[in-house]
Amino acid sequence: MKRFLLLSLLLLAGLTIFADAGINIQRQHARVIFSFSGISNLQGYKLIQTHVGYYAKEDDKRPYARLGTIINDDDHTINIQEGGKNWDESDRDIYLSLVDSLTGKTVDSFEYFAKDYSIHFKIAGVKDGRMQYRTDSTRAVYQYLLLNGEGDNAAAFRRNRLIFIACSAVGFMLLIGLFVRNKNKNSK
Amino acid sequence: MPLFYIILSFFILKGLLTWPFYYKLNWKPLAIGFLLALAEAPFLTLLYQDTEINFWIPFFFLFVFDAAVCFLLLQKLWWKAIIVSILFNCIGFVLFILLNS
C-alpha cells in the first residue's frame, strides 16, 4: 500500500511539473500573415484595414473608435501572432474596406477570421464598385526543415521521412520480436 | 532535431540512466534502451512535425509502453518499471519538446 501511494505521488508530481511549467506539448502554430498583390490595380480606390474596438487610444473618449491603416503597396502585410493560452479570439477578426478616394465612402467591405491559415490576396481591380480578387491560403504552421519542405529539396525530405519511419519500424519490430521470444521461453 | 541526436539523447535516458536500476542484468537494459530509443524517438519526431496531435496522448501511451517493456523484458517488478517509466518519460518529454521547439 505504501509503495502504491508513493508511486501515485510520483506520477502526480510528474504531471504537475508539466502543468506548472506551462509547456504546450502540441505543435505550435506560426503567425497568420495576410499579404497582398495587385494593389496598384485599385485606381481611384483605397484599401483600408479597419480597426474596430473600444477606446483604441487612451485619449480617445468616444465610446466606439474606428481607426484604419491604408494598404498602399504590395509589401504591406498583416501579422496575427498566436497569443498563448489566453488568446482573445475576437482579436483575430480582420476588417478590410474598399474606399472611394474622391468621395471617401466605403464601397465594399470584407471580414476575415485570421486563424490557422495565411491568406494572400491577388487583387485584379474594381468592377461595379466591388473589388475583384482571388485568395490563396496556406496553413500557418512552422515548417520543420527536417521532414517538410518543397522545391528542389523535396526528394531529400521524402528520404528523411522514410528513414525516420524505417528506424521506428525496425525498433518496434525488434521489441515485438523480443516480446514473442520472451513469451515462448516462458511457455516452455 | 536530427535523427542521430534525438536517438542518442533517448538512448542516454532510457539506456544509460536506466541501467543502474537493472545493473544485475548486465548489458540487457542498454540493448532494450537502445531499441526503445530507436522505436520511439523517430516516431515522436514524425508525430510532432507532421501532425497536430496533443502530446499528452503519446505521453500516456509511451508511459504505459515503457512500463510494460521494463516489466516484461527486464525484471518482473512492477513498481520499479513504473518508477523508471515515469522518471525517464517526464525528462524525455521535456527534453524532446525543448529540442524541437
Side-chain angles (χ1 to χ4, degrees):
Chain A
M1 190 63 190
K2 269 183 191 172
R3 204 172 273 165
F4 177 75
L5 282 173
L6 195 71
L7 285 174
S8 308
L9 204 65
L10 190 67
L11 182 63
L12 279 175
L15 292 176
T16 44
I17 285 167
F18 271 119
D20 281 352
I23 292 172
N24 180 15
I25 45 179
Q26 204 162 8
R27 186 179 174 180
Q28 286 180 322
H29 283 265
R31 61 188 174 171
V32 173
I33 300 171
F34 280 26
S35 54
F36 302 87
S37 64
I39 292 287
S40 57
N41 296 331
L42 297 173
Q43 294 291 338
Y45 294 91
K46 279 179 185 172
L47 187 64
I48 293 176
Q49 183 197 351
T50 318
H51 306 296
V52 179
Y54 293 97
Y55 304 113
K57 282 182 179 174
E58 280 185 12
D59 59 343
D60 193 347
K61 300 299 180 193
R62 289 176 298 171
Y64 197 79
R66 272 178 178 270
L67 295 166
T69 308
I70 299 171
I71 301 165
N72 50 10
D73 58 48
D74 287 351
D75 295 333
H76 189 97
T77 54
I78 301 167
N79 298 299
I80 306 293
Q81 181 66 53
E82 182 138 355
K85 281 181 184 174
N86 301 318
W87 175 248
D88 185 0
E89 291 283 318
S90 63
D91 287 355
R92 293 170 181 265
D93 284 321
I94 303 292
Y95 301 97
L96 297 170
S97 306
L98 186 70
V99 175
D100 193 315
S101 299
L102 289 174
T103 58
K105 285 184 178 172
T106 303
V107 291
D108 201 0
S109 61
F110 324 91
E111 187 182 335
Y112 280 89
F113 187 59
K115 191 179 182 183
D116 298 340
Y117 289 91
S118 290
I119 298 176
H120 179 71
F121 292 84
K122 290 178 178 173
I123 298 163
V126 181
K127 194 179 176 185
D128 300 331
R130 311 280 295 176
M131 192 169 89
Q132 308 294 309
Y133 68 101
R134 284 191 299 117
T135 54
D136 284 344
S137 57
T138 49
R139 276 194 82 79
V141 286
Y142 289 114
Q143 288 296 323
Y144 293 96
L145 290 176
L146 198 62
L147 298 174
N148 300 295
E150 291 167 352
D152 298 340
N153 292 325
F157 291 119
R158 273 202 299 276
R159 191 195 61 211
N160 275 3
R161 182 179 282 112
L162 204 67
I163 291 170
F164 271 69
I165 293 169
C167 275
S168 188
V170 166
F172 278 117
M173 291 299 280
L174 286 171
L175 278 172
I176 290 166
L178 280 176
F179 272 122
V180 173
R181 186 166 154 259
N182 209 33
K183 200 182 170 191
N184 288 342
K185 204 188 272 183
N186 289 343
S187 61
K188 277 178 189 175
Chain B
M1 183 74 186
L3 185 62
F4 175 74
Y5 295 112
I6 191 82
I7 289 183
L8 183 70
S9 52
F10 266 58
F11 171 66
I12 290 169
L13 273 176
K14 298 194 175 186
L16 286 179
L17 295 180
T18 309
W19 186 70
F21 288 84
Y22 299 102
Y23 68 96
K24 283 180 183 170
L25 299 171
N26 299 324
W27 56 269
K28 206 174 174 185
L30 293 176
I32 297 292
F34 176 71
L35 288 184
L36 279 175
L38 193 67
E40 290 170 0
F43 182 61
L44 286 179
T45 313
L46 277 169
L47 278 183
Y48 190 79
Q49 299 204 4
D50 273 6
T51 68
E52 288 175 34
I53 191 172
N54 188 339
F55 256 61
W56 288 105
I57 300 162
F59 173 69
F60 175 74
F61 279 106
L62 281 195
F63 161 65
V64 174
F65 184 72
D66 280 11
V69 166
C70 290
F71 180 76
L72 292 171
L73 295 180
L74 289 173
Q75 203 173 12
K76 301 260 184 214
L77 284 175
W78 61 270
W79 57 270
K80 199 187 269 188
I82 292 174
I83 286 177
V84 166
S85 178
I86 293 174
L87 202 61
F88 296 121
N89 269 323
C90 282
I91 301 170
F93 260 76
V94 172
L95 187 80
F96 178 81
I97 299 296
L98 289 179
L99 291 177
N100 270 291
S101 296

